[in-house]
Amino acid sequence: MTLEIILFILFALIGAASGVLMITRKNPVMSALFLILNFAALAGIYLLLNAQFIAVVQIIVYAGAIMVLFLFVIMLLRPDAEISILRTNPLLKYVAIGVGVLVFAQLIYLIFFFKPLNITPSDVAERIQIGTVENIGTEIYTKYIIPVQVAGFLLLSATIGALVLAKKKFE
Amino acid sequence: MINWIYLTVALPMIGFLINGLLGSKIKNEKVIGIIGSSAVGIPFLISVVALFELLALPNDQRVFNVPLFTWLSSGWLNVSFAYRVDQLSIVMALVVTGVGFIIHIYSIGYMHGDKGFWRFFAYLNLFIFAMMNLILADNFLLLFLGWEGVGLCSYLLIGFWYDRKFEKSTTSDAAKKAFIVNRIGDFGFLLGMFLIYITFNSLNFAEVFSRAAALSIPTYVFEFIAIFLFIGATGKSAQIPLFVWLPDAMAGPTPVSALIHAATMVTAGVYMVARCSVIFALAPSAMAVVAVIGLLTAVFAASIGLVQTDIKKVLAYSTVSQLGYMFLALGLGAFSAAIFHVMTHAFFKALLFLGAGSVIHGMHEEQDISRYGGLKKYMPTTYITFLLASIAIAGIPPFSGFFSKDEILWHAYINGGLFVWIIGVFTALLTAFYMFRLVSLTFEGKERFDHHSVHPHESPKIMTIPLIVLAVLSVIGGFIGIPEVFSGTGGNLFSSWLEPVFKTANSKIHHFGLHSHFEEILLMALSVAGVVFSIWLARHIYIKNTRIADSVAAKFKGFYSLLRNKYFIDELYDSTVVNPIKKVSENLLYRINDVKIIDGAVNGTAALVDKLSALIRKFQTGAVQFYAVIMVFGIVVALFWILLSL
Amino acid sequence: MIPVEYYLVLSAFMFTTGVIGVLIRRNAIVLFMSIELMLNSANLTFVTFASFLGDSAGQVFIFFVMTVAAAEAAVGLAIMIALFRNKQTLNADEVNVLKW
């Protein structure tokens, strides 16, 4: 039992559990908090995979910015606790869960029975090398510069869109 | 001119189109009449010229083929609008266009003032068009086109006065009866055509007849073909069992009766059988059937005509009876005798009908002869021409009817035997009797109408001149066919003219032994004597002493009622055929098939679609999450597909 | 070494959880959070393969995924605010104008 495996099991369990808990809470604030926990667990897993930059970016962007945005909106709008779906349309719930299980089954099948997966993991040093800030920075500013510019535009348009949609009308 | 023979078909069609499309705008009756009549008169002239051209040729080259255009061409079936000019078709063409032209002229006077004047001439021209197609066709399909066309025109013309009552129903009922009964016959004709096509792979006359004579095909094939064709002929030419439409067809205007039911359309059946003489000659049993039915019809109809009181009805049954004679001749193998009788019959029967029309016109639409009497001093021309026609139909020499009828009776004797001859002569006696009963009750004797309300008058010249022309033809028309006993070998011009047409057929028939001239003259004398006696008897009873007739009628009351009611044939058909069909149609076909099955299927489909769509409509909930479920489900299916292919 | 299947199974599980969350939650905000969960599971897959194959393209791609996720979250929440202003509810079932 190396440390790696223990850590993996720990983070995996936290991530899975928090995901399940997230979707079953009645209170949306609780759901948001569990999602943050999920992101944290994921960041831990990224570290296990030697993707340092991504792990940190995950915490900063997702857990730090996006979830804060979510919490702000929840605070602003203060939606009511919703009526359990069990009471309004139980059939739909079971169908949905069934469909979801089907998706999971198919993915499992894909993973285990589709087998050009003779991947020999590269050695650790190389993996660390890939995940550094320096390497990723070089990549995105040389090979993937165009997508970066486009991403910039996308963010700009998202900002403008959010502004326009959410503001109060001028009288 | 022979190569332009298709004009005889085209011109009536043009006349029909002009009068039909523009007739209601042309207010001048004369113009319509001229257009209509010349559409038939010019074809008559063309036929005359063609006749002379044929006469100039030697005997075995008098066959011409004038193609117009191909109609159908698929596989072995090659049918074109092509016309065949030979001895037989020229004779028929002359009769049709000639008598037709005379009747057109007569109609200008008879239909004067009628609000459908233009329609009448349009239909008449259409009829001539169809009839010429029938006569001149060189293949069965074109003949059938004309066959159906004349049937259609008889429907249109019988029901011409569509808003009038007629006996117990309307004129349209009479027209429908004619058309439907004709259709039953046409069904037989179609079956015959199908058989011909299957057997000979062609519908062209020349091909079929040459193959029929040359190939060795079992007799029963010919029997079937002949019987089916004959069924068609019984429908069109009013023989037993499909004659019931002809008396009812008197609902139409009298020129219509003259043209269609006396002179032309009813003879289409005779023409068709004569044209197919080869097939019939190779089918002896069918010929026997033809002869028997012809003979039976002749006697049957003559007996009914004895006691009818409507002037047109008497003539109608007389037509049926004379047609019976023609079929008797055909059945006995005397094809040219039958065609000869067609020609003479056209003359005197048309004359009789036109004369009857003149009487009806003069008596202000009265048709019951019990209200006539003594009209000869008011309508002399009509009287004389009518009398001449009656003498002709009775068969007194040297009028035309004598020669044609006598030839038939002679063939009856030599090919059928004494018994057939006796019945034939008996029918001739009946014919003479009822014709002169008609003449006596109409023109002679005491006047039985009220002088103050009815003023009989002679018809205008435009109606009497055609009568005179036809009278002349009835008198001298027989000299073309003087039998050989009087004129020597080859002296019968008519039959030697037609001989090449029937040569093949005649070679296949067994002719019985020789008979002497003495026998022929003896039989002739006997029949003439009998006819003269009938005429005297009729005149005696109906002019001098009508009480004899009444007492005979009272003594044989049952038989009299049977004849009066035409042997209750119509009622018989009604109960055995018409009403069961109506019941089946109503209950089975309409209620069950139409309403439940077909409507049920159509409405059921609609109901099914409705229910299905109600089901499918549930998918449109408007709830986005529902759609999301469906989408994910779609992804599952797509993934499944991909997984399968891996 | 942890075999690659483990990471992938975890990713699949998180994805399924996100899908079920989308389908059965009616609060629109929680709906969005489930979508973020799904995006994260995709990110996990990318990182796994980037690590195991030695190719940095996977990690660069996550960069962009996050960008898109952020933009989408911003705009989506703006829409929800506008929606709430009009209908005073965030219940997904009551936004059923599509039914017509």
Side-chain angles (χ1 to χ4, degrees):
Chain A
M1 274 300 203
T2 63
L3 183 61
E4 201 181 349
I5 296 188
I6 297 176
L7 278 177
F8 172 75
I9 293 178
L10 179 69
F11 284 133
L13 277 175
I14 295 179
S18 62
V20 174
L21 283 171
M22 180 206 95
I23 66 174
T24 52
R25 295 301 101 195
K26 274 202 283 240
N27 193 344
V29 177
M30 293 301 293
S31 296
L33 292 175
F34 275 119
L35 194 58
I36 296 177
L37 184 59
N38 189 26
F39 290 160
L42 267 182
I45 296 187
Y46 290 161
L47 276 176
L48 273 176
L49 286 169
N50 302 112
Q52 315 99 303
F53 179 62
I54 298 298
V56 176
V57 167
Q58 166 97 343
I59 300 287
I60 296 177
V61 171
Y62 261 117
I66 294 179
M67 289 321 294
V68 172
L69 180 61
F70 267 101
L71 282 167
F72 264 117
V73 172
I74 292 176
M75 173 197 84
L76 267 176
L77 300 184
R78 248 180 290 170
D80 312 319
E82 63 186 73
I83 311 163
S84 162
I85 196 167
L86 269 163
R87 265 191 247 150
T88 47
N89 198 353
L91 181 65
L92 190 61
K93 175 177 167 191
Y94 292 126
V95 168
I97 294 180
V99 166
V101 168
L102 268 177
V103 174
F104 186 61
Q106 285 177 329
L107 289 171
I108 296 295
Y109 179 82
L110 250 183
I111 293 169
F112 282 106
F113 296 107
F114 176 56
K115 269 287 182 188
L117 275 187
N118 305 321
I119 305 179
T120 52
S122 39
D123 48 312
V124 183
E126 196 188 328
R127 284 156 66 175
I128 296 176
Q129 180 54 36
I130 294 172
T132 56
V133 181
E134 193 185 337
N135 190 26
I136 294 198
T138 316
E139 292 283 316
I140 65 176
Y141 281 113
T142 54
K143 244 168 66 174
Y144 299 98
I145 183 67
I146 307 279
V148 168
Q149 300 298 329
V150 174
F153 272 114
L154 178 66
L155 283 170
L156 176 64
S157 65
T159 311
I160 298 177
L163 254 178
V164 168
L165 282 169
K167 73 168 193 262
K168 289 212 171 59
K169 297 228 191 304
F170 290 121
E171 293 301 326
Chain B
M1 197 50 68
I2 291 182
N3 287 323
W4 297 67
I5 199 74
Y6 58 85
L7 282 179
T8 57
V9 181
L11 283 171
M13 174 49 92
I14 295 176
F16 163 69
L17 287 172
I18 296 180
N19 267 331
L21 295 173
L22 306 172
S24 50
K25 314 275 176 27
I26 305 174
K27 296 297 175 197
N28 189 341
E29 275 183 6
K30 262 221 187 70
V31 172
I32 298 177
I34 291 180
I35 295 177
S37 305
S38 43
V40 181
I42 300 180
F44 175 66
L45 293 173
I46 297 178
S47 310
V48 171
V49 175
L51 172 71
F52 281 115
E53 286 182 15
L54 279 185
L55 274 172
L57 293 167
N59 209 0
D60 44 356
Q61 282 180 27
R62 290 173 181 162
V63 179
F64 280 89
N65 219 317
V66 183
L68 263 188
F69 56 89
T70 312
W71 184 10
L72 297 173
S73 176
S74 98
W76 275 327
L77 185 61
N78 254 311
V79 172
S80 27
F81 263 74
Y83 298 114
R84 180 190 170 95
V85 179
D86 67 1
Q87 300 94 327
L88 180 60
S89 54
I90 272 295
V91 167
M92 294 297 295
L94 285 169
V95 170
V96 170
T97 51
V99 177
F101 178 63
I102 293 175
I103 293 179
H104 274 71
I105 301 286
Y106 178 90
S107 306
I108 300 180
Y110 189 80
M111 301 298 289
H112 171 69
D114 193 297
K115 71 173 166 35
F117 191 83
W118 56 275
R119 231 174 4 113
F120 190 75
F121 277 89
Y123 290 158
L124 277 185
N125 278 355
L126 185 65
F127 170 82
I128 300 283
F129 163 74
M131 192 69 196
M132 293 308 285
N133 254 321
L134 198 159
I135 291 174
L136 292 172
D138 88 328
N139 57 70
F140 277 96
L141 201 58
L142 191 57
L143 188 147
F144 192 63
L145 174 87
W147 192 269
E148 293 287 344
V150 294
L152 170 71
C153 291
S154 73
Y155 167 80
L156 291 172
L157 284 164
I158 293 173
F160 182 70
W161 288 318
Y162 47 80
D163 42 7
R164 277 202 203 175
K165 288 203 109 357
F166 174 71
E167 292 187 358
K168 295 191 209 105
S169 52
T170 61
T171 53
S172 349
D173 282 344
K176 272 186 279 185
K177 185 171 178 179
F179 199 51
I180 293 175
V181 175
N182 256 313
R183 280 308 266 165
I184 299 177
D186 294 346
F187 180 59
F189 190 85
L190 270 176
L191 287 178
M193 269 210 301
F194 293 155
L195 269 181
I196 288 177
Y197 182 66
I198 294 177
T199 318
F200 300 107
N201 278 329
S202 165
L203 285 178
N204 188 303
F205 285 151
E207 287 174 17
V208 169
F209 297 146
S210 57
R211 285 175 201 172
L215 303 173
S216 57
I217 296 170
T219 312
Y220 70 86
V221 175
F222 288 112
E223 303 278 4
F224 273 105
I225 295 178
I227 288 291
F228 283 133
L229 290 178
F230 180 60
I231 293 177
T234 58
K236 189 68 71 183
S237 295
Q239 299 294 295
I240 295 175
L242 295 175
F243 66 94
V244 290
W245 63 273
L246 191 61
D248 279 41
M250 297 300 115
T254 313
V256 169
S257 310
L259 179 66
I260 291 184
H261 309 116
T264 43
M265 175 177 134
V266 290
T267 58
V270 180
Y271 166 73
M272 188 267 294
V273 173
R275 178 61 83 190
C276 303
S277 52
V278 179
I279 295 181
F280 278 87
L282 288 164
S285 314
M287 293 257 279
V289 170
V290 171
V292 166
I293 289 195
L295 189 62
L296 273 177
T297 310
V299 178
F300 191 75
S303 63
I304 298 181
L306 277 179
V307 298
Q308 296 298 312
T309 53
D310 182 321
I311 186 173
K312 282 171 71 170
K313 279 277 171 66
V314 178
L315 295 176
Y317 284 107
S318 167
T319 305
V320 175
S321 173
Q322 295 300 307
L323 284 169
Y325 266 116
M326 294 178 215
F327 279 102
L328 174 65
L330 289 172
L332 295 168
F335 299 108
S336 58
I339 299 292
F340 188 33
H341 200 58
V342 167
M343 192 177 82
T344 60
H345 177 260
F347 298 148
F348 52 68
K349 193 46 72 62
L351 174 55
L352 283 171
F353 268 108
L354 294 186
S358 175
V359 170
I360 295 173
H361 186 76
M363 291 292 285
H364 301 293
E365 316 300 329
E366 173 65 66
Q367 292 185 214
D368 191 341
I369 57 177
S370 56
R371 290 201 256 268
Y372 287 170
L375 289 176
K376 69 178 174 190
K377 66 175 189 271
Y378 299 101
M379 304 188 213
T381 322
T382 309
Y383 168 61
I384 293 183
T385 51
F386 201 88
L387 185 64
L388 289 174
S390 306
I391 299 179
I393 194 176
I396 304 278
F399 286 56
S400 57
F402 163 70
F403 290 110
S404 58
K405 197 182 289 194
D406 186 80
E407 197 174 337
I408 296 177
L409 286 175
W410 173 240
H411 278 275
Y413 178 70
I414 58 177
N415 278 342
L418 188 63
F419 184 64
V420 177
W421 180 85
I422 288 181
I423 298 186
V425 170
F426 179 63
T427 311
L429 300 188
L430 288 179
T431 308
F433 188 80
Y434 67 65
M435 278 316 300
F436 274 87
R437 165 181 178 264
L438 189 64
V439 171
S440 312
L441 283 177
T442 308
F443 293 102
E444 319 241 6
K446 282 202 285 287
E447 297 172 12
R448 288 184 298 276
F449 52 89
D450 182 8
H451 245 272
H452 299 289
S453 51
V454 180
H455 300 285
H457 55 273
E458 183 60 270
S459 304
K461 278 253 179 22
I462 196 161
M463 281 165 67
T464 52
I465 293 193
L467 294 180
I468 297 176
V469 173
L470 282 174
V472 170
L473 284 172
S474 302
V475 173
I476 64 166
F479 292 130
I480 284 190
I482 302 181
E484 290 183 9
V485 71
F486 292 139
S487 55
T489 34
N492 190 338
L493 293 172
F494 196 78
S495 66
S496 35
W497 167 256
L498 284 181
E499 190 233 332
V501 179
F502 301 124
K503 197 162 51 176
T504 332
N506 277 325
S507 65
K508 306 270 181 191
I509 300 178
H510 304 288
H511 284 277
F512 297 99
L514 289 169
H515 295 262
S516 66
H517 286 320
F518 173 69
E519 271 178 303
E520 200 172 339
I521 298 185
L522 176 65
L523 293 175
M524 239 185 255
L526 280 175
S527 65
V528 171
V531 163
V532 169
F533 173 69
S534 282
I535 296 178
W536 174 85
L537 190 63
R539 286 180 63 91
H540 178 78
I541 294 180
Y542 289 104
I543 300 180
K544 304 263 171 38
N545 196 354
T546 45
R547 275 204 303 274
I548 302 181
D550 295 331
S551 63
V552 170
K555 245 208 277 183
F556 298 100
K557 210 195 291 200
F559 194 59
Y560 180 75
S561 157
L562 189 69
L563 289 183
R564 193 70 206 268
N565 286 302
K566 13 187 190 87
Y567 292 94
F568 298 105
I569 288 280
D570 275 324
E571 287 78 2
L572 181 70
Y573 282 174
D574 257 352
S575 61
T576 52
V577 177
V578 175
N579 280 336
I581 291 184
K582 275 199 335 203
K583 274 214 158 42
V584 168
S585 306
E586 170 114 28
N587 291 331
L588 183 65
L589 291 179
Y590 176 64
R591 289 231 184 92
I592 297 184
N593 196 31
D594 223 16
V595 171
K596 291 221 180 86
I597 298 182
I598 297 182
D599 274 359
V602 172
N603 289 343
T605 314
L608 189 68
V609 171
D610 201 25
K611 288 202 179 68
L612 270 179
S613 62
L615 219 67
I616 296 180
R617 228 181 288 140
K618 292 210 172 83
F619 276 98
Q620 302 292 325
T621 52
V624 181
Q625 274 178 315
F626 182 79
Y627 296 158
V629 171
I630 305 290
M631 274 197 278
V632 176
F633 188 69
I635 294 176
V636 166
V637 171
L639 262 180
F640 192 65
W641 189 263
I642 296 177
L643 289 185
L644 271 182
S645 64
L646 282 180
Chain C
M1 280 286 85
I2 300 174
V4 74
E5 287 89 359
Y6 288 31
Y7 291 106
L8 294 180
V9 168
L10 174 64
S11 159
F13 184 78
M14 278 175 53
F15 183 80
T16 308
T17 312
V19 167
I20 294 183
V22 165
L23 296 182
I24 67 174
R25 289 308 298 257
R26 279 176 311 129
N27 190 330
I29 298 188
V30 178
L31 208 67
F32 262 91
M33 292 198 277
S34 310
I35 295 178
E36 296 296 329
L37 188 56
M38 285 200 284
L39 283 166
N40 271 294
S41 76
N43 282 353
L44 178 58
T45 313
F46 273 118
V47 170
T48 308
F49 277 112
S51 152
F52 274 83
L53 291 174
D55 192 357
S56 62
Q59 300 194 0
V60 172
F61 206 78
I62 292 191
F63 195 72
F64 294 115
V65 173
M66 275 193 215
T67 312
V68 170
E72 168 226 345
V75 175
L77 288 170
I79 290 177
M80 265 190 288
I81 293 181
L83 184 70
F84 188 77
R85 265 202 224 115
N86 278 322
K87 285 187 142 268
Q88 304 300 321
T89 177
L90 280 177
N91 194 340
D93 272 350
E94 299 192 13
V95 187
N96 58 359
V97 187
L98 272 174
K99 188 165 180 169
W100 284 356

